[in-house]
């Protein structure tokens, strides 16, 4: 049996598909707060630790992108994509899409780490994919809102 809250949302109901992070229970509120905290941490990581060195052309980033063969143009493009993803992780209607896009970027980073850098630091993008997948899944309901917004503008 599932518990039904005062708002009618179920905290443990798997039949209806209700997710704990969307329920109105105290447990659901804590889950939402923890998920948002994770999003803020990831946004800070992508903006400061990942995008910033690329956008200021730090020597380590320049060297890495020269080794890949993409040069500074590729470095700036990836830096802008990471910064855009970091910002979008904090915008409710874009959270799920941002997490999916950053996850795809991390899949590409993994491939580059394995093929170009002989696996050095290849675990980092894989580790980052896990919380990004969690955010994309937990915030998937916002995708319908985004689709409605896009259709209304078209």
């Amino acid at each position: 049996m599932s518990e039904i809250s005062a708002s009618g949302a179920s905290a443990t109901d798997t039949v209806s598909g209700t997710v704990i992070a969307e329920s109105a229970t105290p447990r659901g509120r804590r889950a939402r707060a923890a998920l948002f905290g994770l999003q803020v941490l990831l946004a800070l990581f992508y903006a400061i630790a990942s995008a910033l060195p690329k956008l200021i052309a730090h020597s380590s980033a320049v060297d890495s992108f020269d080794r890949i063969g993409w040069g500074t143009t590729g470095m700036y493009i990836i830096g802008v994509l990471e910064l855009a993803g970091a910002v979008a992780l904090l915008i409710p209607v874009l959270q799920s899409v941002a997490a999916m896009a950053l996850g795809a970027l991390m899949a590409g980073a993994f491939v580059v780490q394995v093929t170009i850098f002989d696996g050095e630091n290849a675990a980092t993008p894989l580790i980052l994919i896990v919380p990004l997948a969690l955010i994309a899944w937990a915030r998937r309901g916002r995708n319908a809102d985004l689709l409605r917004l896009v259709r209304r503008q078209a």
Side-chain angles (χ1 to χ4, degrees):
M1 254 325 141
S2 67
E3 293 178 26
I4 304 295
S5 69
S7 69
S10 169
T12 57
D13 190 357
T14 56
V15 175
S16 71
T18 302
V19 179
I20 203 75
E22 298 299 323
S23 69
T25 65
R27 183 177 173 194
R29 286 189 292 275
R30 285 191 304 272
R32 277 193 310 278
L35 188 62
F36 183 71
L38 179 62
Q39 288 172 229
V40 169
L41 284 174
L42 283 172
L44 287 171
F45 170 79
Y46 278 105
I48 297 169
S50 196
L52 185 63
K54 293 172 183 79
L55 296 175
I56 65 169
H58 189 272
S59 60
S60 64
V62 172
D63 293 344
S64 294
F65 278 85
D66 282 345
R67 189 168 168 192
I68 296 169
W70 293 359
T72 55
T73 302
M75 179 183 67
Y76 289 129
I77 290 170
I78 297 298
V80 166
L81 290 173
E82 289 176 339
L83 184 59
V87 171
L89 276 175
L90 303 175
I91 300 172
V93 74
L94 297 176
Q95 292 168 341
S96 180
V97 171
M100 288 186 281
L102 285 170
L105 201 59
M106 290 302 96
F110 172 75
V111 170
V112 167
Q113 292 295 330
V114 169
T115 58
I116 308 273
F117 296 102
D118 299 322
E120 183 181 332
N121 300 318
T124 303
L126 289 180
I127 291 167
L128 289 168
I129 286 174
V130 174
L132 290 169
L134 173 68
I135 292 166
W137 180 79
R139 302 294 193 199
R140 68 192 182 280
R142 302 289 173 108
N143 292 342
D145 298 336
L146 179 60
L147 189 57
R148 277 192 293 279
L149 210 101
V150 168
R151 284 183 177 163
R152 189 172 29 184
Q153 297 298 321

